[in-house]
Amino acid sequence: MAFSRDPLDELVVPDGTEAQERDLVTDGDVLVGGRSTIEFGVRGRNVLAGESAEFRGAIEADGDCRLDMWCDVAENVLVGQDAYIGERVHIGGKLKVAGDLDIGDDVEIEEGFEANGWIVIRNPMPTIVLLFVYLKHLLLIGEEDAAQRLISELVDEEDDEPETDPLVIPRNATVGDDAWRVSTPATIGDDCRLHGNVRAETIDVGADCNVFGSLRAREDVTVGDGTRIHGDVTTRDGDVTIERDARILGDVSCDDLELGPDAEVDGTIRADGEITMRTTERERE
């Protein structure tokens, strides 16, 4: 997984991510910026959270779990490998770790903890925030190879594992059934199933997704092939592109609108600029 810039300056939802009844589920890693609120539980490979992140469900990590200081988890934390718990973290359920546990001072675990490996009680690891600051510094000075090595060590990637993009939730975000609110761009991959209204600077939704909510951005919005948006698509100062076979069940409001072949808008279209309807390759010939 290669980064060319700060990994926490964009909401990234990788292919195949699902918002299930209680959990946000992905096959790859989960990176959560500081002071973010996740109203779901999360399930992924490695789960890393910055300072004061809040989870209103459980955490299930197949690999490692790293929670920075002041994090709050409402339910259980289940870890398939090693866990690193920072100072003053609160866990409302149990902490179960299959490997080693490195835990900081003044951690509150309401239903107790168990680990099959070593247990070290101290102020663990450089904080997640420090790791990301160091990563950003490496990128700024052009040391992309060193940044790549840091990320590989951080998530303990194996050479024989297929590369899977991480789920990235930026700092100060709110993610839940009601809304996904970020002040950064948002990129949603293919074959995702999400609940909630997406609010971002720009929004790019991949192919064959189901979003049970609306999309609202300050700038451009793109809806991929075969995707269904169960709400409105609105942009304050940008354009909207709706690709082939996509369907918007609500209204569309934008500057310029581009509709791909067989794209549908069930509601009202309000475009201050041009409306372009693309045809299929066969019709253009």
Side-chain angles (χ1 to χ4, degrees), residues 54-250:
E54 179 181 359
F55 298 83
R56 296 181 181 172
I59 293 177
E60 294 184 31
D62 294 334
D64 293 348
C65 179
R66 299 171 182 256
L67 302 179
D68 204 353
M69 61 187 301
W70 297 106
C71 284
D72 192 335
V73 184
E75 300 179 16
N76 298 329
V77 177
L78 308 177
V79 185
Q81 295 182 16
D82 300 333
Y84 306 82
I85 309 299
E87 292 182 310
R88 297 178 177 84
V89 167
H90 171 262
I91 297 174
K94 297 179 180 179
L95 171 63
K96 293 187 176 182
V97 183
D100 298 337
L101 171 61
D102 202 342
I103 189 168
D105 297 330
D106 298 322
V107 173
E108 181 182 0
I109 305 170
E110 294 190 7
E111 298 184 19
F113 67 90
E114 58 185 74
N116 291 334
W118 291 97
I119 299 176
V120 179
I121 300 176
R122 60 182 176 83
N123 184 13
M125 67 170 181
T127 65
I128 297 299
V129 169
L130 179 60
L131 288 172
F132 284 126
V133 168
Y134 179 50
L135 174 62
K136 185 173 183 178
H137 174 71
L138 290 175
L139 295 173
L140 287 173
I141 64 176
E143 295 289 342
E144 294 192 8
D145 290 341
Q148 175 62 46
R149 290 195 297 271
L150 174 63
I151 288 295
S152 298
E153 293 173 4
L154 188 62
V155 300
D156 194 25
E157 290 178 341
E158 299 293 340
D159 291 339
D160 57 352
E161 288 183 352
E163 184 172 328
T164 303
D165 290 336
L167 169 64
V168 180
I169 297 173
R171 303 174 186 85
N172 302 307
T174 300
V175 173
D177 264 337
D178 178 59
W180 296 51
R181 293 187 179 92
V182 298
S183 58
T184 66
T187 300
I188 299 171
D190 300 337
D191 300 305
C192 294
R193 181 182 177 89
L194 305 179
H195 297 267
N197 304 310
V198 181
R199 306 287 185 260
E201 181 180 348
T202 63
I203 302 173
D204 188 347
V205 183
D208 300 315
C209 294
N210 251 316
V211 179
F212 293 89
S214 61
L215 307 180
R216 180 179 298 171
R218 289 191 294 273
E219 298 179 14
D220 295 346
V221 178
T222 301
V223 178
D225 294 353
T227 285
R228 180 169 293 194
I229 307 298
H230 297 252
D232 300 333
V233 175
T234 305
T235 173
R236 183 187 304 170
D237 299 312
D239 303 331
V240 170
T241 301
I242 302 172
E243 299 290 356
R244 177 191 302 270
D245 294 322
R247 184 178 179 186
I248 312 301
L249 275 67

